[in-house]
Amino acid sequence: MSLIAAIETLNAKLAAVRAGGGPAAVKKHKEKGKMTARERIEYLLDAPEDAVEIGALAADEMYADEGGCPSAGVVVVVGKVSGRTCVIVANDATVKAGAWFPMTCKKNLRAQEISIENRLPIVYLVDSAGVYLPMQSEVFADKDHFGRIFRNNAVMSAEGIIQIAAIMGPCVAGGAYLPIMSDEALIVEGTGSVFLAGSYLVKSAVGEDVDNETLGGAVTHSEISGVTDYKMKNDRECLDTVKALLDKAAEAPKAGFNRKAPVEAEYPAEKIFDILPDDRIKPYDMNELLKCVYDAGSFVEYKAGYGKTIVCGLARVDGWAVGFVANQRLVVKTRKGEMQFGGVIYSDSADKAARFIMNCNQKRIPLVFMQDVTGFMVGSRSEHGGIIKDGAKMVNAMSNSVVPKLTFVVGNSYGAGNYAMCGKAYDPRLIYAWPSAQIAVMGGMQAAKTLLQIQVAALEKKGETIDPQKEAQLLETITARYNAQLSPYYAAARLWVDGIIDPRQTRKIISAGIEAANHAPIRKSYKLGVIQT
């Protein structure tokens, strides 16, 4: 599939996600006088077009037996409210009444993680029926389940990270703690409610007859219990008050990352379609691709003649100083006359990248990783040359980085190459995939052939044989199953990446990511552990 066609597929998927629970559910929601989750966010933001969405494709093609859960039933964006960069989390009550599925929980924790790492205020727009009971065992009791959110509420408040909750619908049972553990809570009259147990449960538990509004509505909590701080007439008044509260908060300290006046990229973003081949086996020049991303004339390449399968260099993106670490997909020749194959990390490339990462930390320059990597070079020559210790050096330098890291999966992201190039496990502030991305331990054909060999060997041990036709059918089945898991949508559904983007949005996300990170001053010194040299 061409990259342009893949973007069309992406846009169709995103359009379906933005429809929430569908026209009937949206109609029913609005009949209650409510705005939808996305309408609430759009109204709250200063400039909705500049916001960055997190996890739009979370739970994609998951929970089919439960009727699906578009976007995991919650919308998360990073954008400006009253001039302040914030994280906004809005339950989508048109999707299963905003109930919490396992991926809903994971997505909320990711939103809090972004808030904590970047010290950004977080706004919760609460409208949820609570935990989806048929899947409670996957939501309730573990470390990174539902309860972790309330633990984070407490820790974030102690850290001075602003948390504002707007109760715009039901807020039930354990979920009631999220808004009340926030710094301030607003509630909308007639639609908002907070209680540990609803009227049906109260009746069965203690025999009391009481309606939900009397039990935990806006009047009750604003005038009797004192649980909420502001009583609002409707959604818009509630959101206007949130804006007013954020408008009066003091300015936070900054990290002080270097920024100058933005300059347009050297190449127009559309040129990406000419540079990146549709056939992912074909080589291309990463230096050319980067010209579509960084500000014209700003790139200074580091060790250009050494370790050529990784491109390292300082540049600016939308005025922000950044350090690029990018896999080179060209087949290149070293000064020793050796051929190095594109997309593979060799010892010299790993050594160069490690040193460059250290330099960026020394100068407090954020790092941007552009992944198109098949892994580290294998074979006796590489092993004898110490590829493992050189790779470990790069992983060590990257893992201990104190400057923000942003990662974009352009193409392949296989094995230890995913790790060394700042995959999800290494805490990138943001990580996005292009539609051309593939993420797995190894490529589809290599993996399928390996799995086939294992299955054939197992049959032979039992004294069974397999004819060539059946072997070919088995290979086809294994390949199809493995390739489905290579898809960037498989990764996005499970939040291994924060989303899939049109490559032309890369500059915008880098700029937004660094601007967000600039709210978190760096307080740790850069130190490395024991490194084999």
Side-chain angles (χ1 to χ4, degrees), residues 510-526:
I510 292 173
S511 180
I514 298 175
E515 184 171 7
N518 199 38
H519 290 76
I522 297 172
R523 297 188 173 95
K524 291 171 62 179
S525 59
Y526 183 56

Side-chain angles (χ1 to χ4, degrees), residues 64-81:
D65 292 344
E66 312 297 329
C69 187
S71 209
V74 62
V75 184
V76 176
V77 304
V78 178
K80 289 189 176 180
V81 180

Side-chain angles (χ1 to χ4, degrees), residues 39-290:
E39 287 172 342
R40 288 166 176 166
I41 290 173
E42 186 172 350
Y43 186 84
L44 193 58
L45 289 168
D46 297 345
E49 67 278 5
D50 293 336
V52 172
E53 185 165 358
I54 308 296
L57 293 163
D60 179 59
E61 296 187 7
M62 296 174 69
Y63 312 126
D65 292 344
E66 312 297 329
C69 187
S71 209
V74 62
V75 184
V76 176
V77 304
V78 178
K80 289 189 176 180
V81 180
S82 298
R84 298 183 67 98
T85 303
C86 299
V87 178
I88 305 170
V89 182
N91 297 114
D92 187 349
T94 71
V95 178
K96 299 288 192 296
W100 288 64
F101 282 67
M103 285 306 303
T104 315
C105 188
K106 187 172 183 178
K107 188 169 173 179
N108 274 266
L109 287 169
R110 176 62 178 144
Q112 288 183 322
E113 181 180 47
I114 292 169
S115 172
I116 293 166
E117 287 180 332
N118 299 292
R119 298 193 65 82
L120 299 178
I122 186 165
V123 179
Y124 306 102
L125 306 180
V126 186
D127 192 348
S128 171
V131 169
Y132 185 67
L133 287 177
M135 304 189 79
Q136 66 84 27
S137 65
E138 298 176 54
V139 179
F140 172 65
D142 208 347
K143 178 180 177 179
D144 288 323
H145 282 178
F146 201 35
R148 189 73 175 182
I149 292 165
F150 314 136
R151 175 265 184 195
N152 287 350
N153 287 143
V155 171
M156 292 163 74
S157 185
E159 285 288 317
I161 296 170
I162 297 169
Q163 297 178 88
I164 297 174
I167 303 164
M168 311 178 86
C171 190
V172 184
Y177 286 102
L178 185 147
I180 309 311
M181 293 189 73
S182 298
D183 302 328
E184 294 176 286
L186 305 84
I187 187 167
V188 177
E189 194 169 5
T191 57
S193 59
V194 187
F195 33 68
L196 294 181
S199 56
Y200 292 126
L201 183 53
V202 167
K203 174 67 173 176
S204 63
V206 298
E208 181 184 0
D209 281 311
V210 61
D211 63 85
N212 283 339
E213 189 64 27
T214 303
L215 187 65
V219 172
T220 295
H221 286 312
S222 298
E223 300 178 14
I224 300 173
S225 72
V227 165
T228 54
D229 306 304
Y230 307 93
K231 183 177 70 172
M232 304 286 105
K233 293 178 182 177
N234 53 47
D235 281 9
R236 280 180 171 77
E237 184 183 59
C238 184
L239 296 169
D240 285 336
T241 305
V242 172
K243 293 180 189 181
L245 294 174
L246 286 166
D247 178 59
K248 294 165 181 64
E251 188 64 34
K254 297 289 194 295
F257 299 129
N258 188 301
R259 192 182 195 188
K260 291 188 175 180
V263 174
E264 290 296 318
E266 193 157 331
Y267 290 165
E270 285 73 18
K271 194 168 176 63
I272 290 171
F273 301 130
D274 298 326
I275 297 168
L276 193 69
D278 295 333
D279 184 347
R280 300 300 300 113
I281 297 175
K282 289 184 178 178
Y284 64 91
D285 191 348
M286 179 57 80
N287 278 299
E288 290 293 290
L289 194 68
L290 290 177

Side-chain angles (χ1 to χ4, degrees), residues 197-403:
S199 56
Y200 292 126
L201 183 53
V202 167
K203 174 67 173 176
S204 63
V206 298
E208 181 184 0
D209 281 311
V210 61
D211 63 85
N212 283 339
E213 189 64 27
T214 303
L215 187 65
V219 172
T220 295
H221 286 312
S222 298
E223 300 178 14
I224 300 173
S225 72
V227 165
T228 54
D229 306 304
Y230 307 93
K231 183 177 70 172
M232 304 286 105
K233 293 178 182 177
N234 53 47
D235 281 9
R236 280 180 171 77
E237 184 183 59
C238 184
L239 296 169
D240 285 336
T241 305
V242 172
K243 293 180 189 181
L245 294 174
L246 286 166
D247 178 59
K248 294 165 181 64
E251 188 64 34
K254 297 289 194 295
F257 299 129
N258 188 301
R259 192 182 195 188
K260 291 188 175 180
V263 174
E264 290 296 318
E266 193 157 331
Y267 290 165
E270 285 73 18
K271 194 168 176 63
I272 290 171
F273 301 130
D274 298 326
I275 297 168
L276 193 69
D278 295 333
D279 184 347
R280 300 300 300 113
I281 297 175
K282 289 184 178 178
Y284 64 91
D285 191 348
M286 179 57 80
N287 278 299
E288 290 293 290
L289 194 68
L290 290 177
K291 290 177 183 178
C292 303
V293 180
Y294 61 68
D295 294 3
S298 68
F299 190 64
V300 181
E301 188 168 0
Y302 176 75
K303 291 184 183 288
Y306 178 73
K308 292 184 178 181
T309 63
I310 289 184
V311 175
C312 297
L314 300 176
R316 292 188 183 275
V317 176
D318 197 32
W320 293 103
V322 303
F324 278 105
V325 180
N327 301 113
Q328 176 59 284
R329 282 300 303 269
L330 290 176
V331 178
V332 295
K333 194 173 185 178
T334 70
R335 290 180 180 177
K336 296 179 181 179
E338 300 165 338
M339 300 303 293
Q340 292 190 343
F341 296 94
V344 182
I345 302 175
Y346 289 76
S347 285
D348 54 358
S349 303
D351 178 69
K352 176 174 84 170
R355 178 91 179 180
F356 179 73
I357 290 166
M358 294 181 214
N359 282 339
C360 286
N361 275 272
Q362 182 83 344
K363 297 173 185 173
R364 295 295 194 261
I365 299 172
L367 288 159
V368 177
F369 292 83
M370 305 287 286
Q371 290 193 3
D372 194 346
V373 57
T374 53
F376 286 87
M377 189 60 189
V378 297
S380 60
R381 185 168 185 172
S382 293
E383 299 293 358
H384 296 171
I387 185 67
I388 293 175
K389 68 179 175 64
D390 289 320
K393 187 191 306 181
M394 180 179 174
V395 171
N396 200 321
M398 181 272 301
S399 299
N400 286 292
S401 179
V402 296
V403 298

Side-chain angles (χ1 to χ4, degrees), residues 404-445:
K405 298 170 291 192
L406 306 174
T407 301
F408 296 87
V409 186
V410 172
N412 302 326
S413 180
Y414 298 156
N418 169 283
Y419 297 163
M421 291 295 294
C422 195
K424 178 69 171 178
Y426 294 85
D427 298 324
R429 297 291 178 94
L430 295 173
I431 177 169
Y432 282 89
W434 289 9
S436 46
Q438 292 189 333
I439 303 170
V441 171
M442 64 180 74
M445 186 53 66

